[in-house]
Amino acid sequence: MARQTRQRILDTSLAMFNAQGEPNVTTNHIADELEISPGNLYYHFRNKDDIIEHLFTGYEARMDAALTAPQGRLPGLEDIWLQLHLVFECIWDYRFLYRDLVDILSRNRRLRLRFARILKRADEQAHAVLRGLVQAGVMRASADELHAAATNVLVVATFWLNYAAARGDRDEQASIRDGIVQVMMLIAPFLRDAERVHLNTLVRAYLD
């Protein structure tokens, strides 16, 4: 029963943080939504930052799984497309982290270090995938171009939701679809002709 209550607190907190923004939700709001006493909530979690840290653990596991590279072969365009889907779905499910990223990380050193680790792994994975595309003959890029493209992929993916919100987008799921296409277009100039045609076909099918 205690484990069930604990999970309900996490699920409800995540939904409320995503819907209302983490700074606008207090532990009292969460307790009210669950129709439990604040004391019951504090029995399971010390404070709101404790809840956020536990939610971050779930986010971390999802992102680590999404960043797993194909094994035993060089990557293709579909691998990047699938990986971007998994990454952006994770960002969507934990979008409050990205929407309020600077605020959350500025007050929690442990989360700042953990998020930095995820960014480092994502950066390494982006470089590895693009190097794999070059080795597979899918794209052509110098070392400097590859490094810049990988960094741009990471920056756009990390901050796309914030950009979409700043320009007034109301449909965040549509914004995420746009974000995936935007990231893919970052590598389009480096693709060989046949692969560029293939990418354009993927994009058209995806947006229809």
Side-chain angles (χ1 to χ4, degrees):
M1 187 65 177
R3 183 178 297 177
Q4 191 177 28
T5 301
R6 183 181 179 85
Q7 190 59 49
R8 283 180 62 225
I9 292 170
L10 289 174
D11 292 343
T12 299
S13 298
L14 179 59
M16 293 179 73
F17 290 162
N18 281 341
Q20 302 172 37
E22 178 271 331
N24 302 315
V25 178
T26 67
T27 49
N28 283 342
H29 292 144
I30 297 166
D32 287 345
E33 181 70 19
L34 286 163
E35 298 182 343
I36 62 175
S37 69
N40 193 352
L41 186 147
Y42 291 130
Y43 171 79
H44 296 281
F45 299 99
R46 296 186 309 276
N47 49 40
K48 189 168 76 167
D49 276 353
D50 192 20
I51 293 173
I52 292 170
E53 285 200 40
H54 280 82
L55 290 174
F56 194 91
T57 298
Y59 157 80
E60 209 168 21
R62 281 274 302 276
M63 193 59 80
D64 277 338
L67 292 172
T68 301
Q71 298 297 311
R73 61 180 177 80
L74 293 172
L77 282 181
E78 286 86 354
D79 292 310
I80 300 179
W81 198 272
L82 173 60
Q83 196 164 60
L84 283 172
H85 267 282
L86 295 175
V87 166
F88 272 92
E89 282 174 4
C90 181
I91 290 173
W92 168 254
D93 288 343
Y94 292 88
R95 55 196 177 276
F96 82 93
L97 284 171
Y98 287 81
R99 192 185 294 138
D100 304 305
L101 184 63
V102 174
D103 181 53
I104 291 170
L105 298 186
S106 67
R107 67 173 193 258
N108 192 318
R109 182 176 179 274
R110 287 190 301 275
L111 286 190
R112 193 160 64 246
L113 293 174
R114 290 167 72 182
F115 194 81
R117 183 196 71 80
I118 288 176
L119 283 181
K120 184 175 185 295
R121 181 166 180 213
D123 182 63
E124 291 168 351
Q125 179 64 9
H127 278 80
V129 167
L130 294 188
R131 279 196 303 271
L133 291 179
V134 170
Q135 291 169 15
V138 172
M139 62 180 274
R140 183 189 292 113
S142 69
D144 287 344
E145 289 169 339
L146 190 148
H147 175 73
T151 299
N152 288 340
V153 163
L154 185 58
V155 170
V156 170
T158 302
F159 295 106
W160 182 260
L161 277 186
N162 289 353
Y163 166 71
R167 70 181 185 179
D169 290 3
R170 297 192 178 276
D171 185 344
E172 286 185 299
Q173 288 182 309
S175 296
I176 283 177
R177 289 196 299 273
D178 292 343
I180 292 171
V181 171
Q182 189 71 25
V183 170
M184 293 300 291
M185 287 303 177
L186 288 172
I187 66 171
F190 302 106
L191 296 176
R192 295 180 184 273
D193 290 343
E195 295 298 335
R196 191 179 298 189
V197 170
H198 182 39
L199 175 60
N200 287 333
T201 301
L202 287 174
V203 169
R204 282 198 304 272
Y206 182 63
L207 293 178
D208 284 345

